[in-house]
Amino acid sequence: MLKSAFLILLVLSISIVAGSASVWYALKANEGMGAVVVGQWTAFPNVGTTEADPYSRARVAREGLLALGRAEGLSFSATRDTGGDPLRRECTYLIEGPVPPARFWTLYVTDQSGSVVKGSEHRPASLHSYQLIRLSDNSIAISVGAHPAPGNWLALSGKGPATFMLNLFDTPIASGTGAADVVLPQIAKVGCDV
């Protein structure tokens, strides 16, 4: 009798721990169910709609996010550079390439908790489409790092993991399945502070 109760308790404990771990992983994963991956960038086009999967809804509720609906725009995030290395705040990156058509877009960096990383004392923590110098083919080249750079520069501070966030507002790719066919800027590592 005691052996059966112990086995039942053991099985229940293992299933609760394994189930909780799988849910935690699914909510923390930047890929998976409902995700559209374009190069290093990942978006969840259905997150602000009624078609959102349960994990996306739970992620929005847990993190307290204000999700964009299809008519409002689309948010892309990147946690790795073109070489596959995790993005770090002590490194310098070059974000270069085309940005999909949008009425307005923003670029900023967050830390592990999702908080916006502060720039330097005299620089804002984000860039937007109206303040950039564009290349002759209408693409962008933005230096992201702690050290000032000529042209477009997004200042970073601190150390640790980073996530680049590109929010496209009022964009035609948000409606329908066009998000998978877009071309987004590449994220190349230039160097790191030791």
Side-chain angles (χ1 to χ4, degrees), residues 142-180:
I142 301 171
S143 179
V144 181
H147 306 291
N152 301 314
W153 172 52
L154 180 59
L156 281 181
S157 62
K159 293 185 178 186
T163 301
F164 293 176
M165 299 295 299
L166 177 64
N167 297 315
L168 305 171
F169 297 96
D170 196 12
T171 177
I173 65 168
S175 58
T177 58

Short mmCIF file of all heavy atoms in Angstrom, two decimals, residues 142-180:
data_model
loop_
_atom_site.label_atom_id
_atom_site.label_comp_id
_atom_site.label_asym_id
_atom_site.label_seq_id
_atom_site.Cartn_x
_atom_site.Cartn_y
_atom_site.Cartn_z
N ILE A 142 23.15 51.10 -39.67
CA ILE A 142 23.13 51.63 -38.31
C ILE A 142 24.20 50.92 -37.49
O ILE A 142 24.23 49.69 -37.42
CB ILE A 142 21.76 51.41 -37.64
CG1 ILE A 142 20.65 52.08 -38.44
CG2 ILE A 142 21.76 51.92 -36.20
CD1 ILE A 142 19.25 51.72 -37.97
N SER A 143 25.06 51.70 -36.85
CA SER A 143 26.04 51.15 -35.93
C SER A 143 25.40 51.12 -34.54
O SER A 143 24.84 52.11 -34.08
CB SER A 143 27.29 52.01 -35.92
OG SER A 143 28.23 51.49 -35.01
N VAL A 144 25.46 49.96 -33.88
CA VAL A 144 24.90 49.80 -32.54
C VAL A 144 26.03 49.41 -31.61
O VAL A 144 26.67 48.39 -31.80
CB VAL A 144 23.80 48.71 -32.52
CG1 VAL A 144 23.21 48.56 -31.14
CG2 VAL A 144 22.73 48.99 -33.55
N GLY A 145 26.31 50.25 -30.63
CA GLY A 145 27.37 49.95 -29.68
C GLY A 145 27.60 51.08 -28.70
O GLY A 145 26.95 52.12 -28.75
N ALA A 146 28.57 50.87 -27.81
CA ALA A 146 28.86 51.84 -26.76
C ALA A 146 29.72 52.99 -27.25
O ALA A 146 29.74 54.05 -26.62
CB ALA A 146 29.55 51.13 -25.59
N HIS A 147 30.43 52.80 -28.36
CA HIS A 147 31.34 53.83 -28.85
C HIS A 147 30.71 54.60 -30.01
O HIS A 147 30.14 53.99 -30.91
CB HIS A 147 32.66 53.18 -29.30
CG HIS A 147 33.28 52.34 -28.23
ND1 HIS A 147 33.82 52.87 -27.08
CD2 HIS A 147 33.42 51.00 -28.11
CE1 HIS A 147 34.28 51.90 -26.32
NE2 HIS A 147 34.05 50.74 -26.93
N PRO A 148 30.81 55.93 -30.00
CA PRO A 148 30.22 56.75 -31.07
C PRO A 148 30.73 56.32 -32.45
O PRO A 148 31.89 55.93 -32.60
CB PRO A 148 30.67 58.17 -30.74
CG PRO A 148 30.99 58.14 -29.29
CD PRO A 148 31.48 56.75 -28.99
N ALA A 149 29.85 56.40 -33.42
CA ALA A 149 30.20 56.02 -34.80
C ALA A 149 29.60 57.06 -35.73
O ALA A 149 28.56 57.65 -35.44
CB ALA A 149 29.65 54.64 -35.11
N PRO A 150 30.24 57.29 -36.89
CA PRO A 150 29.67 58.24 -37.84
C PRO A 150 28.40 57.70 -38.48
O PRO A 150 28.17 56.50 -38.52
CB PRO A 150 30.79 58.39 -38.88
CG PRO A 150 31.59 57.14 -38.77
CD PRO A 150 31.48 56.70 -37.34
N GLY A 151 27.56 58.60 -38.94
CA GLY A 151 26.31 58.19 -39.58
C GLY A 151 25.26 57.87 -38.53
O GLY A 151 25.13 58.55 -37.52
N ASN A 152 24.52 56.82 -38.76
CA ASN A 152 23.47 56.39 -37.83
C ASN A 152 24.08 55.57 -36.72
O ASN A 152 24.74 54.56 -36.97
CB ASN A 152 22.42 55.56 -38.57
CG ASN A 152 21.78 56.33 -39.70
OD1 ASN A 152 21.39 57.48 -39.54
ND2 ASN A 152 21.68 55.70 -40.85
N TRP A 153 23.86 56.00 -35.47
CA TRP A 153 24.43 55.30 -34.32
C TRP A 153 23.39 55.16 -33.24
O TRP A 153 22.73 56.13 -32.84
CB TRP A 153 25.63 56.07 -33.79
CG TRP A 153 26.18 55.55 -32.49
CD1 TRP A 153 26.54 54.28 -32.20
CD2 TRP A 153 26.42 56.31 -31.30
NE1 TRP A 153 26.99 54.18 -30.91
CE2 TRP A 153 26.94 55.42 -30.34
CE3 TRP A 153 26.25 57.64 -30.96
CZ2 TRP A 153 27.28 55.83 -29.06
CZ3 TRP A 153 26.60 58.05 -29.69
CH2 TRP A 153 27.11 57.15 -28.75
N LEU A 154 23.19 53.93 -32.75
CA LEU A 154 22.33 53.64 -31.62
C LEU A 154 23.22 53.30 -30.44
O LEU A 154 23.94 52.30 -30.47
CB LEU A 154 21.38 52.49 -31.94
CG LEU A 154 20.40 52.05 -30.84
CD1 LEU A 154 19.51 53.22 -30.42
CD2 LEU A 154 19.57 50.89 -31.30
N ALA A 155 23.20 54.15 -29.41
CA ALA A 155 24.09 53.98 -28.27
C ALA A 155 23.62 52.86 -27.36
O ALA A 155 22.42 52.71 -27.10
CB ALA A 155 24.17 55.29 -27.49
N LEU A 156 24.57 52.09 -26.85
CA LEU A 156 24.31 51.02 -25.90
C LEU A 156 25.09 51.28 -24.62
O LEU A 156 26.11 51.98 -24.64
CB LEU A 156 24.77 49.67 -26.45
CG LEU A 156 23.89 48.96 -27.44
CD1 LEU A 156 24.52 47.63 -27.83
CD2 LEU A 156 22.52 48.71 -26.88
N SER A 157 24.65 50.69 -23.53
CA SER A 157 25.41 50.77 -22.28
C SER A 157 25.25 49.46 -21.54
O SER A 157 24.32 48.69 -21.78
CB SER A 157 24.89 51.93 -21.42
OG SER A 157 23.53 51.72 -21.07
N GLY A 158 26.17 49.20 -20.64
CA GLY A 158 26.10 48.01 -19.80
C GLY A 158 26.69 46.78 -20.45
O GLY A 158 27.31 46.83 -21.52
N LYS A 159 26.50 45.66 -19.77
CA LYS A 159 26.98 44.37 -20.24
C LYS A 159 25.87 43.34 -20.12
O LYS A 159 24.94 43.51 -19.35
CB LYS A 159 28.18 43.92 -19.40
CG LYS A 159 29.39 44.77 -19.57
CD LYS A 159 30.55 44.21 -18.81
CE LYS A 159 31.77 45.09 -19.07
NZ LYS A 159 32.96 44.53 -18.48
N GLY A 160 25.98 42.29 -20.91
CA GLY A 160 25.01 41.21 -20.83
C GLY A 160 24.28 40.98 -22.15
O GLY A 160 24.55 41.65 -23.15
N PRO A 161 23.35 40.05 -22.14
CA PRO A 161 22.59 39.74 -23.36
C PRO A 161 21.75 40.92 -23.83
O PRO A 161 21.34 41.76 -23.04
CB PRO A 161 21.70 38.57 -22.94
CG PRO A 161 22.27 38.04 -21.68
CD PRO A 161 22.98 39.17 -21.03
N ALA A 162 21.49 40.95 -25.13
CA ALA A 162 20.69 42.01 -25.72
C ALA A 162 19.72 41.42 -26.74
O ALA A 162 19.98 40.37 -27.32
CB ALA A 162 21.59 43.04 -26.40
N THR A 163 18.63 42.12 -26.93
CA THR A 163 17.64 41.77 -27.96
C THR A 163 17.36 43.03 -28.76
O THR A 163 17.07 44.07 -28.18
CB THR A 163 16.33 41.25 -27.33
OG1 THR A 163 16.62 40.10 -26.54
CG2 THR A 163 15.32 40.90 -28.40
N PHE A 164 17.50 42.95 -30.07
CA PHE A 164 17.18 44.09 -30.93
C PHE A 164 15.70 43.99 -31.31
O PHE A 164 15.24 42.94 -31.72
CB PHE A 164 18.02 44.09 -32.20
CG PHE A 164 19.49 44.33 -31.97
CD1 PHE A 164 20.38 44.28 -33.02
CD2 PHE A 164 20.00 44.62 -30.71
CE1 PHE A 164 21.74 44.51 -32.83
CE2 PHE A 164 21.35 44.84 -30.50
CZ PHE A 164 22.23 44.79 -31.56
N MET A 165 14.98 45.09 -31.18
CA MET A 165 13.56 45.14 -31.48
C MET A 165 13.32 46.10 -32.64
O MET A 165 13.72 47.26 -32.57
CB MET A 165 12.76 45.61 -30.27
CG MET A 165 12.87 44.71 -29.05
SD MET A 165 12.19 43.07 -29.29
CE MET A 165 10.49 43.43 -29.64
N LEU A 166 12.68 45.62 -33.69
CA LEU A 166 12.32 46.43 -34.86
C LEU A 166 10.80 46.39 -34.98
O LEU A 166 10.22 45.35 -35.27
CB LEU A 166 12.97 45.87 -36.13
CG LEU A 166 12.65 46.57 -37.44
CD1 LEU A 166 13.17 48.00 -37.44
CD2 LEU A 166 13.25 45.80 -38.61
N ASN A 167 10.16 47.54 -34.72
CA ASN A 167 8.71 47.64 -34.77
C ASN A 167 8.30 48.40 -36.03
O ASN A 167 8.68 49.54 -36.20
CB ASN A 167 8.17 48.37 -33.54
CG ASN A 167 8.47 47.61 -32.27
OD1 ASN A 167 8.29 46.40 -32.21
ND2 ASN A 167 8.92 48.31 -31.26
N LEU A 168 7.52 47.75 -36.88
CA LEU A 168 7.02 48.36 -38.11
C LEU A 168 5.55 48.73 -37.90
O LEU A 168 4.74 47.87 -37.61
CB LEU A 168 7.14 47.38 -39.28
CG LEU A 168 8.52 46.79 -39.53
CD1 LEU A 168 8.44 45.69 -40.57
CD2 LEU A 168 9.49 47.86 -39.97
N PHE A 169 5.23 50.01 -38.02
CA PHE A 169 3.87 50.48 -37.81
C PHE A 169 3.20 50.78 -39.15
O PHE A 169 3.81 51.38 -40.02
CB PHE A 169 3.87 51.74 -36.94
CG PHE A 169 4.42 51.50 -35.56
CD1 PHE A 169 5.74 51.77 -35.27
CD2 PHE A 169 3.61 50.96 -34.57
CE1 PHE A 169 6.25 51.54 -34.01
CE2 PHE A 169 4.11 50.72 -33.31
CZ PHE A 169 5.44 51.02 -33.02
N ASP A 170 1.95 50.38 -39.27
CA ASP A 170 1.15 50.59 -40.48
C ASP A 170 1.90 50.08 -41.70
O ASP A 170 2.22 50.81 -42.63
CB ASP A 170 0.79 52.07 -40.63
CG ASP A 170 -0.34 52.27 -41.63
OD1 ASP A 170 -0.98 51.28 -42.01
OD2 ASP A 170 -0.56 53.43 -42.04
N THR A 171 2.20 48.79 -41.69
CA THR A 171 2.94 48.15 -42.77
C THR A 171 2.06 47.14 -43.50
O THR A 171 1.27 46.43 -42.86
CB THR A 171 4.21 47.47 -42.23
OG1 THR A 171 4.88 46.80 -43.30
CG2 THR A 171 3.89 46.47 -41.14
N PRO A 172 2.19 47.05 -44.82
CA PRO A 172 1.36 46.09 -45.55
C PRO A 172 1.71 44.63 -45.26
O PRO A 172 0.89 43.75 -45.48
CB PRO A 172 1.62 46.44 -47.02
CG PRO A 172 2.85 47.25 -47.04
CD PRO A 172 2.99 47.89 -45.71
N ILE A 173 2.92 44.35 -44.76
CA ILE A 173 3.28 42.96 -44.49
C ILE A 173 2.59 42.41 -43.26
O ILE A 173 2.56 41.21 -43.05
CB ILE A 173 4.80 42.78 -44.36
CG1 ILE A 173 5.34 43.52 -43.14
CG2 ILE A 173 5.51 43.20 -45.62
CD1 ILE A 173 6.75 43.15 -42.79
N ALA A 174 2.01 43.28 -42.42
CA ALA A 174 1.33 42.81 -41.21
C ALA A 174 0.02 42.11 -41.54
O ALA A 174 -0.42 41.24 -40.80
CB ALA A 174 1.08 43.97 -40.26
N SER A 175 -0.61 42.49 -42.63
CA SER A 175 -1.88 41.84 -42.99
C SER A 175 -1.60 40.67 -43.92
O SER A 175 -0.90 40.79 -44.90
CB SER A 175 -2.80 42.85 -43.68
OG SER A 175 -2.18 43.37 -44.83
N GLY A 176 -2.10 39.55 -43.58
CA GLY A 176 -1.88 38.36 -44.41
C GLY A 176 -0.62 37.62 -44.01
O GLY A 176 -0.11 37.75 -42.92
N THR A 177 -0.08 36.86 -44.95
CA THR A 177 1.09 36.04 -44.67
C THR A 177 2.35 36.62 -45.30
O THR A 177 3.31 35.92 -45.52
CB THR A 177 0.87 34.62 -45.22
OG1 THR A 177 0.61 34.74 -46.64
CG2 THR A 177 -0.28 33.94 -44.54
N GLY A 178 2.37 37.90 -45.60
CA GLY A 178 3.51 38.52 -46.26
C GLY A 178 4.75 38.64 -45.41
O GLY A 178 5.82 38.96 -45.90
N ALA A 179 4.66 38.38 -44.09
CA ALA A 179 5.81 38.55 -43.21
C ALA A 179 6.94 37.58 -43.54
O ALA A 179 8.11 37.89 -43.35
CB ALA A 179 5.39 38.39 -41.76
N ALA A 180 6.62 36.40 -44.03
CA ALA A 180 7.65 35.41 -44.33
C ALA A 180 8.43 35.75 -45.59
O ALA A 180 9.54 35.26 -45.80
CB ALA A 180 7.02 34.04 -44.48
#
